[in-house]
């Protein structure tokens, strides 16, 4: 008996996803336990709060080989630390500006709010970003 | 494969976000806007200008790490305007980040100041 393994040669963008511990990480977990399909090339990095995410993290992820970066946190008003996600939202414009200044298409990054009960929303966000990045093409030297 | 210039710009942007000036704006921008000391448009304009300048200053600094250079040499390597480089070098001198170390062909040679 012989087993055949087919390896897809299609390029799949690598996405670094920064998820807050209290909402989106649980949402991603729910997506998994609910068997909701989303691209497998996403690498989830758990942070305590999106307010913890320094703009450097996003730029560093792209520099170190990610094709796109997703930041996912609690809905405004639902932050476990009261206002961490609002700080992230204020920073986001700045990150987009820096990305553009560095000559990178801002479509490679995405900020979204997904609560612990929104596994589908998290999966949809990952899928949308992956599709956008797929259209833009690769942007990396490989993970380092 | 990512172009080297893009990679340099990303690295310069990463450095720029370490700058005190940008960090101050990130932290205080919203507060100033809420106190009506800055309008939203003015803040956006200011942030845009600061991000651009800080990235360019990091690009200049990265060039100076390689070797002390004149403005023409920096301009050739970074493709920035000479006037703009001078303006930023003067600001960097004010912040004690750059110093004049020599003179070459009637041009000053700038280097990063050792802290």
């Amino acid at each position: 008996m012989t087993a055949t393994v087919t390896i897809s040669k299609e390029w799949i963008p690598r996405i670094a996803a920064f998820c807050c511990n209290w909402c989106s990480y649980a949402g991603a977990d729910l997506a998994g336990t609910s068997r909701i399909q989303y691209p497998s090339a996403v690498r989830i990095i758990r942070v305590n709060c999106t307010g913890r995410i320094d703009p450097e993290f996003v730029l560093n992820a792209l520099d170190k080989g990610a094709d796109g970066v997703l930041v996912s946190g609690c809905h405004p008003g639902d932050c476990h630390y009261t206002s961490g996600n609002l700080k992230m939202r204020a920073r986001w414009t700045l990150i987009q500006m820096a990305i553009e200044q560095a000559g990178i298409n801002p479509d490679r990054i995405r900020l979204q709010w997904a609560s612990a009960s929104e596994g589908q929303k998290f999966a949809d966000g990952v899928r949308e970003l992956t599709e956008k990045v797929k259209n833009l093409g690769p942007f990396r030297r490989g993970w380092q | 494969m990512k172009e080297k210039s893009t990679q340099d710009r990303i690295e310069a942007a990463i450095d720029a976000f370490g700058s005190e000036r940008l960090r101050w704006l990130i932290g205080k921008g919203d507060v100033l806007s809420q106190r009506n000391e800055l309008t939203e448009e003015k803040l956006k304009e200011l942030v845009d200008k600061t991000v651009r300048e800080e990235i360019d200053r990091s690009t200049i600094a990265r060039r100076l790490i390689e070797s002390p250079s004149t403005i023409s040499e920096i301009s050739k390597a970074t493709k920035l305007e000479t006037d703009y480089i001078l303006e930023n070098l003067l600001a960097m001198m004010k912040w004690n980040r750059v110093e004049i170390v020599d003179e070459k062909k009637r041009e000053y040679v700038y280097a990063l100041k050792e802290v």
Side-chain angles (χ1 to χ4, degrees):
Chain A
M1 195 171 162
T2 52
T4 327
V5 179
T6 315
I7 299 168
S8 168
K9 291 209 170 156
E10 190 193 1
W11 170 71
I12 303 166
R14 296 180 218 211
I15 308 292
F18 292 95
C19 295
C20 101
N21 180 51
W22 308 97
C23 291
S24 292
Y25 190 78
D29 200 21
L30 180 68
T33 50
S34 310
R35 309 274 176 97
I36 298 169
Q37 300 282 318
Y38 65 87
S40 57
V42 61
R43 300 288 181 268
I44 296 176
I45 300 155
R46 183 170 60 166
V47 288
N48 259 358
C49 176
T50 46
R52 171 68 184 87
I53 301 167
D54 196 288
E56 280 184 51
F57 292 4
V58 176
L59 293 162
N60 255 322
L62 290 167
D63 189 37
K64 301 289 181 203
D67 297 304
V69 178
L70 172 74
V71 173
S72 190
C74 307
H75 286 274
D78 287 348
C79 179
H80 188 78
Y81 304 100
T82 316
S83 60
N85 52 0
L86 303 181
K87 288 187 175 112
M88 183 66 223
R89 190 169 62 180
R91 246 174 252 162
W92 193 250
T93 326
L94 210 82
I95 296 173
Q96 281 179 314
M97 276 179 195
I99 292 274
E100 276 180 85
Q101 293 285 341
I104 305 164
N105 192 321
D107 281 350
R108 286 188 187 274
I109 58 168
R110 177 188 168 98
L111 173 68
Q112 70 174 23
W113 311 126
S115 74
S117 61
E118 293 176 323
Q120 185 66 55
K121 194 173 176 188
F122 175 81
D124 289 345
V126 173
R127 204 174 300 119
E128 268 176 46
L129 179 63
T130 307
E131 280 308 313
K132 269 189 187 172
V133 174
K134 218 174 204 175
N135 291 335
L136 293 171
F139 176 81
R140 67 179 194 283
R141 293 161 288 163
W143 296 107
Q144 289 175 354
Chain B
M1 183 66 106
K2 193 164 50 181
E3 282 177 36
K4 193 179 179 305
S5 62
T6 310
Q7 189 193 328
D8 286 346
R9 293 288 288 176
I10 300 175
E11 283 170 8
I14 294 169
D15 289 347
F17 273 101
S19 84
E20 208 176 310
R21 193 172 162 222
L22 206 47
R23 287 195 168 267
W24 188 89
L25 254 187
I26 295 170
K28 293 283 180 196
D30 267 7
V31 180
L32 291 174
S33 170
Q34 279 159 17
R35 281 191 205 153
N36 289 327
E37 287 176 35
L38 271 179
T39 61
E40 287 281 336
E41 293 77 41
K42 183 75 188 160
L43 177 65
K44 196 169 180 294
E45 197 181 296
L46 198 62
V47 167
D48 193 20
K49 184 172 173 269
T50 312
V51 170
R52 193 173 50 244
E53 274 181 5
E54 284 301 320
I55 292 178
D56 289 338
R57 281 181 198 177
S58 304
T59 310
I60 294 169
R62 291 167 73 81
R63 165 68 195 158
L64 294 180
I65 289 172
E66 286 170 24
S67 64
S69 317
T70 63
I71 291 179
S72 316
E73 287 165 346
I74 298 169
S75 173
K76 206 175 164 188
T78 60
K79 296 184 177 64
L80 294 170
E81 292 284 324
T82 49
D83 289 354
Y84 182 68
I85 293 171
L86 175 62
E87 191 184 305
N88 281 296
L89 278 172
L90 291 175
M92 287 163 88
M93 280 169 78
K94 198 173 150 190
W95 284 91
N96 253 345
R97 288 179 62 195
V98 165
E99 62 185 343
I100 295 168
V101 288
D102 203 357
E103 207 177 320
K104 193 160 79 181
K105 292 180 190 167
R106 300 178 68 187
E107 265 195 286
Y108 287 130
V109 177
Y110 297 85
L112 279 189
K113 206 165 185 176
E114 284 183 28
V115 183

